[in-house]
Amino acid sequence: SSELTQDPAVSVALGQTVRITCQGDSLRTYYASWYQQQPGQAPVLVIYGKNNRPSGIPDRFSGSSSGSTASLTITGAQAEDEADYYCNSRDSSGNHVVFGGGTKLTVL
Amino acid sequence: QVQLQESGPGLVKPSETLSLTCTVSGGSISNYYWSWIRQPPGKGLEWIGYIYYSGSTNYNPSLKSRVTISVDTFKNQFSLKLSSVTAADTAVYYCAGWTQLWARFDPWGQGTLVTVSS
């Protein structure tokens, strides 16, 4: 079982705002990174650190953290945002890497 | 821009050893911790382990007894060996660069499907 917990599925109406969460004790100490994975493709980093976006990632993607929960927020979700989203961070020991189980985002 | 490309057999027999190689281009192999990640069909991502160009390694405790990751700095390649495979090891295997400071994986290879079957 993963040390990071995500809701399996979330839905959002087109143009609305959605928050995808990732829970784990290690997140009290370490930041989470977030990845978007389209069907049949490799994951793509969308958020890392406190709230950093790699070049080319739209500014509708943002990250935040509070206590043991990290969040990825998409403000004004687009049809192309429909994908699986994964968080990752270090485990509680800080020595290893863990992924959340993933959240399937549906844009209605 | 760093690019990664996985290569290796797409079919491995049960009990044998899975071997994959990732070739790094467009950048220095000393800039990242080089990682392997896998994804069984229809399931989530699982970190396998990583290696630094110096040769130091870090493995997922759940796979540690079966995993070896090595690096060839002259060829700009790093490799994965997973021994005693079973059908549960069938997955898309990705190589990726891990940045310790930010705890992030970027870049990623395109992934390669490895099926364990007789």
Side-chain angles (χ1 to χ4, degrees):
Chain A
S1 62
S2 174
E3 292 191 25
L4 298 178
T5 302
Q6 297 181 242
D7 291 328
V10 171
S11 62
V12 60
L14 184 67
Q16 296 303 301
T17 297
V18 63
R19 177 178 294 179
I20 299 170
T21 61
C22 175
Q23 292 186 305
D25 286 341
S26 66
L27 299 180
R28 297 183 183 277
T29 307
Y30 305 108
Y31 286 119
S33 293
W34 290 92
Y35 306 86
Q36 178 192 71
Q37 186 179 35
Q38 301 287 358
Q41 297 185 20
V44 173
L45 178 70
V46 294
I47 291 289
Y48 66 95
K50 188 173 184 180
N51 181 20
N52 300 294
R53 279 176 292 106
S55 174
I57 301 301
D59 61 5
R60 63 179 180 272
F61 290 88
S62 63
S64 61
S65 184
S66 178
S68 63
T69 301
S71 300
L72 172 70
T73 299
I74 307 174
T75 303
Q78 302 300 302
E80 60 264 33
D81 299 334
E82 185 164 291
D84 294 327
Y85 291 85
Y86 293 90
C87 61
N88 102 273
S89 187
R90 292 181 172 86
D91 68 359
S92 299
S93 73
N95 294 325
H96 303 298
V97 178
V98 288
F99 283 96
T103 297
K104 181 177 182 59
L105 175 66
T106 300
V107 179
L108 304 172
Chain B
Q1 181 178 348
V2 177
Q3 293 186 312
L4 307 179
Q5 179 65 58
E6 304 90 349
S7 59
L11 181 64
V12 180
K13 291 182 168 56
S15 80
E16 295 190 345
T17 296
L18 178 160
S19 297
L20 295 173
T21 296
C22 183
T23 301
V24 180
S25 61
S28 171
I29 201 164
S30 65
N31 289 347
Y32 297 91
Y33 286 75
W34 299 107
S35 306
W36 289 98
I37 296 155
R38 70 180 183 178
Q39 185 172 35
K43 296 187 178 181
L45 300 168
E46 180 180 33
W47 171 69
I48 298 171
Y50 61 61
I51 188 166
Y52 197 46
Y53 77 100
S54 62
S56 64
T57 55
N58 188 3
Y59 299 140
N60 185 327
S62 68
L63 296 169
K64 185 175 182 178
S65 63
R66 298 195 292 131
V67 172
T68 302
I69 298 177
S70 58
V71 65
D72 185 332
T73 55
F74 296 104
K75 293 183 177 180
N76 263 22
Q77 293 178 333
F78 62 103
S79 299
L80 168 71
K81 290 190 185 299
L82 181 66
S83 64
S84 304
V85 297
T86 70
D89 296 309
T90 293
V92 174
Y93 285 76
Y94 295 100
C95 57
W98 167 255
T99 303
Q100 286 277 43
L101 175 64
W102 294 109
R104 71 183 189 198
F105 288 108
D106 184 52
W108 292 68
Q110 65 184 23
T112 186
L113 174 63
V114 179
T115 301
V116 178
S117 175
S118 55

